[in-house]
């Protein structure tokens, strides 16, 4: 018996593809129960000052003025993804981060698909760009988005009360349909609100992570060549290797083995997704999309953490650039 | 790497032997968080009409009158335990169940250790003897202890609200220091209140279950021989084999491997233990001890259940009566 296959089948048999939909935000007690169940929930009616009517391009550009923000730039819309380098080896590749004004960012986003070849811009700094853990510790915590803080509560009362903690990071995300987030999981409870546009999540439970064929890859970054002004992939000299799924797009036919049961959730403007810690997610977006997320540390004392650790460590992770017996077996499955 | 040893060490490193002590019962929200953490909690100040001053022998005998109750009788105080049979094979052995009045039960219990050779009586029918699942489903649910129901609430508001369900069973337990419950785990959230006497729990987290060397055993029961009136162990003709720990007393020196970190909790009169689903427990008592417990079904949609299922099924369980290579290896650990 493959214990990982057995477990994922068992979990699927019990829970299927069910995603709860709430017509209004939960109470703290209700959300505590949902966090214990640890399945995705689509929440409607969670209202914050930042909403699609207020957060027009013009409003954001005006509020941010000449302040610069850190934007991820890639030649292909794939930041933090496995990309073949000039030596044909695969690298976990971080984006080129460039500073620009909000006006400049919006000038580079599109509601439509663009012609190939142009660069893709995605504000995805995800370092607590609105509120960081320092902020919650009461320390000095400057933010690139200081002037938008009035529109975004630093914490969500029903979530903070349920989890008995403040967030670890609150982020703003601004991008368009050219950006895709490769499938990965985070050790955080995630409350994800879409302000404008829509996000298309492909989700897998932690138990199906073994279907994603994780590998370890050398690290690289996109850098802008000073001569050509073009982006090129540059392997990192010293960065540690990165563990990442070798599956580029879980939505392609045959990409996943039979034991994987992806769940598709569209989160529209004004809607909020509870994405439980450890759930795998691949994210696309439709048109110019603005989102906010609150990351809360997972409860490390309980079975959720134990299970995630077990699933993460029960198997060795092969090298992504070596054709090993292990890799061949997985491909043959 | 032995993944089970790795996981139990990891869990112990994170949590140690910590048992939370609450000076008063939690709110529903607080208990929901505790159930998510899934560690034992000693709760003081949970008051119910049944208390040590009210529930004297005389009161219970008077209230129950001539009604008969089902009592487990064994020659050794070990009901539901692994016992060597007349053929020297080991059996999972259930007690002889005899009907008697409350007066008769108390006449057979002792505040002190008794002389060896006499029988041990323990009211431990644990079938929802106060309130069963039928009761909560609104069906006819007669109880041997109908006349005590007024002293025992059918459910605990903070627990029912937190877990969003009614109990599956509510039980009364009456015994003395001669009875011991062998180490086992239940797939239930358990709220355990001591009314009189005290209970001595030896607890192990689910992650250390592999240290208990589970085996499968044939089933037997104690029966009373009509000629000699003595109890004797009688192997069952048709009952399925039972999976049980092969460790008779986890408190004996050397009984457990180094990765096991037993937690000792004494629950005194008026105190309540939250014993999370899947935690292993060996239970002794001191003097005449009366307890009540509320079993609630575990949340089967979440990581707790997934983890327990994984831990239960990741290893094959050897035969308890065969000297196998596996058994020898474990003994040598």
């Amino acid at each position: 018996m493959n214990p990982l296959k057995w477990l994922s089948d068992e979990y699927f048999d019990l829970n299927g593809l069910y995603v709860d939909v709430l017509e209004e935000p939960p109470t703290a007690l209700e959300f505590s129960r949902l966090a214990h169940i640890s399945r995705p929930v689509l929440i409607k009616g969670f209202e914050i000052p930042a909403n699609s009517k207020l957060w027009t391009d013009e409003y954001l550009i005006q509020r941010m003025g000449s302040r610069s923000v850190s934007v991820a730039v890639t030649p292909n819309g794939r930041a933090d993804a496995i990309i073949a380098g000039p030596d044909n080896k695969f690298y976990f590749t971080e984006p080129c981060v460039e500073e620009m004004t909000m006006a400049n960012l919006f000038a580079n986003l599109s509601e439509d698909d663009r012609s190939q070849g142009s660069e893709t811009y995605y504000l995805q700094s995800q370092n607590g760009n609105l509120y960081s853990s320092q902020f919650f510790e009461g320390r000095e915590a400057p933010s690139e988005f200081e002037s938008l803080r009035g529109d975004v509560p630093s914490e969500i009362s029903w979530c903070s009360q349920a989890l008995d903690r403040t967030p670890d990071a609150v982020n703003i995300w601004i991008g368009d349909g050219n950006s895709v987030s490769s499938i990965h999981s985070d050790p955080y409870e995630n409350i994800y609100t879409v302000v404008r546009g829509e996000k298309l999540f492909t989700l897998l439970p932690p138990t199906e992570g073994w279907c994603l064929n994780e590998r370890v890859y050398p690290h690289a970054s996109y850098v802008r060549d000073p001569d050509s002004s073009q982006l090129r992939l540059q392997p990192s000299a010293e960065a540690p290797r990165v563990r990442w799924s070798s599956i580029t797009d879980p939505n392609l036919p045959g990409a996943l083995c039979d034991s994987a049961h992806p769940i598709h959730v569209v989160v529209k403007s004004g809607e909020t997704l509870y994405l439980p810690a450890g759930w795998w997610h691949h994210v696309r977006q439709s048109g110019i999309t603005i989102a906010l997320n609150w990351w809360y540390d997972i409860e490390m004392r309980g079975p959720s953490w134990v299970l995630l650790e077990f699933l993460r460590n029960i198997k060795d992770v092969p090298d992504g650039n070596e054709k090993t017996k292990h890799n061949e077996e997985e491909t043959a499955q």
Side-chain angles (χ1 to χ4, degrees), chain A:
Chain A
M1 180 187 81
N2 172 350
L4 290 169
K5 175 170 165 44
W6 176 86
L7 188 71
S8 55
D9 290 347
E10 186 87 357
Y11 183 76
F12 177 72
D13 287 346
L14 272 169
N15 295 284
L17 301 175
Y18 185 69
V19 172
D20 207 357
V21 178
L22 303 184
E23 293 302 321
E24 54 184 54
T27 65
L29 175 58
E30 286 165 348
F31 187 70
S32 176
R33 291 182 199 137
L34 293 171
H36 187 49
I37 293 169
S38 203
R39 285 189 67 82
V41 180
L42 187 66
I43 300 166
K44 299 183 180 179
F46 172 55
E47 288 175 12
I48 54 177
N51 66 52
S52 58
K53 285 193 183 140
L54 180 67
W55 273 21
T56 59
D57 297 11
E58 296 69 32
Y59 173 84
L60 293 169
I61 289 168
Q62 181 258 313
R63 287 303 291 262
M64 292 295 293
S66 62
R67 292 194 71 144
S68 73
V69 298
S70 305
V71 174
V73 188
T74 57
N76 46 27
R78 298 177 59 224
D80 307 325
I82 305 305
I83 313 272
D87 54 0
N88 285 322
K89 280 176 71 172
F90 290 107
Y91 291 88
F92 172 82
T93 308
E94 293 200 48
C96 180
V97 176
E98 298 189 319
E99 304 292 314
M100 62 191 70
T101 62
M102 192 65 93
N104 200 343
L105 170 62
F106 274 109
N108 282 286
L109 297 179
S110 165
E111 289 289 359
D112 309 307
D113 280 353
R114 292 179 305 169
S115 59
Q116 286 197 341
S118 59
E119 293 176 349
T120 299
Y121 287 62
Y122 190 13
L123 193 167
Q124 57 128 34
S125 42
Q126 61 191 283
N127 53 355
N129 58 27
L130 269 163
Y131 302 99
S132 64
S133 53
Q134 286 97 300
F135 172 87
F136 294 104
E137 287 157 10
R139 292 190 279 147
E140 193 79 17
S143 157
E144 288 180 343
F145 301 94
E146 194 87 35
S147 58
L148 298 180
R149 279 184 171 173
D151 297 342
V152 182
S154 60
E155 56 181 315
I156 301 173
S157 60
W158 42 265
C159 188
S160 296
Q161 281 179 51
L163 305 179
D164 200 20
R165 61 197 64 189
T166 53
D168 191 68
V170 183
N171 298 298
I172 183 171
W173 309 72
I174 304 179
D176 65 19
N178 296 293
S179 283
V180 174
S181 298
S182 62
I183 194 156
H184 67 286
S185 67
D186 306 300
Y188 293 102
E189 305 287 2
N190 196 352
I191 306 291
Y192 204 104
T193 288
V194 174
V195 175
R196 279 173 54 187
E198 58 185 38
K199 292 266 181 183
L200 301 93
F201 285 85
T202 303
L203 305 173
L204 289 178
T207 46
E208 294 176 10
W210 66 275
C211 299
L212 294 171
N213 302 352
E214 284 184 283
R215 297 287 179 269
V216 286
Y217 296 95
H219 184 274
S221 297
Y222 283 115
V223 295
R224 193 172 293 287
D225 189 292
D227 298 328
S228 69
S229 292
Q230 298 294 300
L231 293 175
R232 62 176 171 77
L233 186 152
Q234 179 171 288
S236 307
E238 303 229 319
R241 299 202 303 168
V242 177
R243 174 178 174 156
W244 209 256
S245 169
S246 58
I247 291 177
T248 308
D249 185 348
N251 298 305
L252 292 179
L256 298 170
C257 69
D258 290 346
S259 290
H261 302 93
I263 298 176
H264 301 281
V265 179
V266 178
V267 186
K268 296 183 175 165
S269 165
E271 295 180 340
T272 299
L273 179 68
Y274 163 49
L275 180 60
W279 275 70
W280 297 88
H281 48 292
H282 173 270
V283 194
R284 290 168 296 150
Q285 38 207 357
S286 179
I288 294 180
T289 300
I290 304 179
L292 298 164
N293 94 293
W294 290 256
W295 267 322
Y296 285 80
D297 279 340
I298 185 175
E299 173 56 71
M300 287 184 70
R301 291 169 288 181
S304 298
W305 178 251
V306 173
L307 180 65
L308 293 183
E309 279 287 280
F310 203 19
L311 292 173
R312 185 173 164 81
N313 288 286
I314 196 170
K315 277 215 312 188
D316 288 333
V317 179
D319 186 314
N321 284 301
E322 269 178 33
K323 195 75 183 166
T324 62
K325 185 168 173 295
H326 188 118
N327 292 5
E328 279 166 18
E329 273 172 11
E330 272 188 356
T331 311
Q333 267 176 1

